[in-house]
Amino acid sequence: MRGRGLLVASVLAAVLVTVTTTAVLLLVDPRQPKAEAIKTGGLAGGAVVALYALWLNDRRRRTEEARHQLEIEKVTDEKFARAVELLGHEADQVRVGAMYVLAELTRTTPRYKQTVLNVLCAYLRRPFEHAAVDQKPEDPDLAFFEEGRRVVSPEDDREMTVRMTAQRLITDMLPWGADPDETRYHLDLTGARLVHFSLQGRRLGGRLIARRADFYGITKLGGMELHKPALFSGATFHGRVTIQDGLFEGGISFEDTAFERELNLTGARVGTFLHLTRRPPEVLVGTLEVLEGTAYRNDPTGWPLTGDGQPPAGLQGHVEQD
């Protein structure tokens, strides 16, 4: 009905423009031929109809584009839901394939990136057992299982492969270097068991939560940029860990964190707040620069610190919740 009304209105407008234009031309110059005046008026009226036709065509085009976009979003949503469902599949190759589908979605549909990061983090928070991380937690790759000793089951090895894929995809999805993506992504790895975990050089922007997490093998957090807190409260680093040249602008919590091997602090900087474990690692490399205005949550005695931050008197430790 609305389309018919617009069509009738455009026709009436064209007729009105034609008559008006013709009349004006004859009034302005009565000596000119009536046929020429009528022809000119007809062209003016035709222009009105042509404008309506152009508007109608553009409206149809935008409607088709909107419908096409809705179809694309529907297909994408279905693909996402199916991939998440397949993460519970018994076959490890199906789970790995589902993870790659999710990672590809973040490239074609960036709005999915934080959601996919959440899904992969949730997968890594699932219970996980593997003989290698129990035998040699500082470097599971060097754990050898001879005859008469505990042997890794094929299922455990396949699950290790899936989890390493999830870790690698998380790293690959986060911006680094010249990547212009300034989105503040968050990672929640609370209670996760991570093997050779690396966020080397990544810009996370949001929170990195790894409370009570276990880090096996070498953990690389060097060169990171975080503008929100990095929370490792109650975590255990079984192998070497480096935060070399990292910028933790939103603060770090190492409350009750255990470092069983070397911690490299060279060139790392921290702002906002600093909460250190009461027992520093036995092997510390470099110093941690404390930026001006940083609040200490407890006494940092024993830690190699430099910078303008100074611990105030009467410290009372507490966990940063921001």
Side-chain angles (χ1 to χ4, degrees):
M1 290 297 293
R2 184 184 177 187
R4 288 183 180 179
L6 289 173
L7 177 60
V8 171
S10 66
V11 171
L12 291 175
V15 172
L16 180 61
V17 169
T18 299
V19 173
T20 302
T21 303
T22 302
V24 170
L25 289 173
L26 290 174
L27 288 172
V28 171
D29 187 5
R31 292 175 296 177
Q32 71 172 311
K34 291 184 179 181
E36 287 298 322
I38 293 173
K39 180 181 178 180
T40 304
L43 289 174
V48 173
V49 175
L51 287 173
Y52 170 75
L54 288 173
W55 173 82
L56 185 61
N57 184 63
D58 182 67
R59 183 170 175 237
R60 287 174 178 170
R61 179 185 59 78
R62 286 187 280 111
T63 300
E64 285 300 318
E65 288 178 352
R67 184 181 295 113
H68 182 62
Q69 184 61 35
L70 285 175
E71 286 297 324
I72 292 176
E73 291 181 0
K74 180 180 178 182
V75 171
T76 302
D77 290 344
E78 290 174 353
K79 186 183 292 187
F80 171 79
R82 179 57 177 161
V84 171
E85 181 181 348
L86 290 175
L87 288 178
H89 199 279
E90 293 183 0
D92 60 293
Q93 64 268 30
V94 174
R95 299 198 297 278
V96 168
M99 289 180 180
Y100 276 106
V101 169
L102 290 172
E104 180 61 28
L105 280 178
T106 67
R107 286 186 278 272
T108 59
T109 313
R111 65 184 174 88
Y112 269 108
K113 184 174 286 191
Q114 182 61 64
T115 303
V116 171
L117 287 171
N118 293 344
V119 170
L120 294 178
C121 286
Y123 190 93
L124 292 172
R125 293 198 301 269
R126 295 172 55 178
F128 172 63
E129 299 293 335
H130 195 281
V133 300
D134 296 329
Q135 173 103 4
K136 202 171 184 63
E138 70 276 14
D139 193 348
D141 290 343
L142 299 181
F144 299 100
F145 303 93
E146 301 169 357
E147 186 178 354
R149 302 172 70 182
R150 184 179 179 186
V151 178
V152 177
S153 69
E155 292 78 11
D156 287 348
D157 265 347
R158 288 194 287 268
E159 177 60 15
M160 173 73 85
T161 300
V162 177
R163 295 175 68 87
M164 294 298 287
T165 299
Q167 290 183 190
R168 184 169 58 255
L169 290 175
I170 288 174
T171 303
D172 291 345
M173 277 190 278
L174 294 173
W176 66 284
D179 190 329
D181 187 358
E182 296 296 333
T183 307
R184 293 193 172 188
Y185 298 107
H186 306 270
L187 297 181
D188 185 355
L189 295 164
T190 302
R193 305 188 81 186
L194 307 166
V195 180
H196 297 308
F197 187 64
S198 174
L199 293 177
Q200 186 82 20
R202 264 49 188 182
R203 294 195 307 273
L204 191 54
R207 294 177 180 82
L208 172 56
I209 304 175
R211 294 187 178 101
R212 303 181 303 282
D214 283 286
F215 294 85
Y216 299 94
I218 300 172
T219 302
K220 298 179 180 179
L221 305 176
M224 286 188 66
E225 291 184 23
L226 282 87
H227 303 286
K228 291 289 185 179
L231 307 178
F232 299 97
S233 311
T236 301
F237 291 92
H238 298 274
R240 291 190 291 115
V241 55
T242 175
I243 62 172
Q244 184 175 357
D245 298 322
L247 173 59
F248 299 87
E249 195 174 51
I252 296 180
S253 175
F254 284 141
E255 182 194 21
D256 296 329
T257 303
F259 296 93
E260 298 184 354
R261 292 294 186 274
E262 175 187 297
L263 171 60
N264 191 330
L265 301 169
T266 305
R269 294 169 291 163
V270 61
T272 308
F273 79 95
L274 180 61
H275 195 165
L276 297 169
T277 182
R278 299 183 189 281
R279 191 184 72 175
E282 293 184 6
V283 181
L284 273 168
V285 177
T287 58
L288 177 63
E289 180 182 354
V290 183
L291 301 178
E292 185 177 1
T294 301
Y296 287 81
R297 302 306 188 194
N298 62 350
D299 189 348
T301 299
W303 285 81
L305 306 177
T306 62
D308 297 327
Q310 293 295 327
L315 282 168
Q316 294 182 354
H318 66 278
V319 178
E320 171 68 29
Q321 296 295 333
D322 189 11

